[in-house]
Amino acid sequence: MKLRQDANHPAMALNARFAELECLAESHQHLSKESLAGNKLANAVLHKGNLSHRTFSSLWLQ
């Protein structure tokens, strides 16, 4: 049995979007840990204009 993935299938676009979201969540988690450990740069990035919430929202709604 040969299975092929159709790059134009909506499930592929959804899979790509979830992969981006997962990557962003992992980055946010890493920044949070660094911030709690006292890393001032990570804290600044994490709190810059509530960027994390807007990024998650915009990724989901695209």
Side-chain angles (χ1 to χ4, degrees):
M1 176 188 287
K2 290 186 178 182
L3 297 176
R4 292 184 300 168
Q5 293 181 349
D6 181 6
N8 296 322
H9 194 279
M12 295 296 287
L14 186 60
N15 187 45
R17 185 65 66 202
F18 276 116
E20 290 177 29
L21 190 58
E22 181 181 22
C23 181
L24 185 61
E26 288 174 1
S27 297
H28 189 272
Q29 182 181 25
H30 180 72
L31 278 172
S32 296
K33 286 180 182 179
E34 288 292 320
S35 179
L36 285 173
N39 185 325
K40 291 182 181 182
L41 291 175
N43 192 45
V45 170
L46 198 58
H47 292 95
K48 182 175 173 131
N50 199 12
L51 183 66
S52 58
H53 174 69
R54 278 187 277 163
T55 305
F56 274 115
S57 298
S58 64
L59 253 180
W60 184 252
L61 296 175
Q62 287 181 350

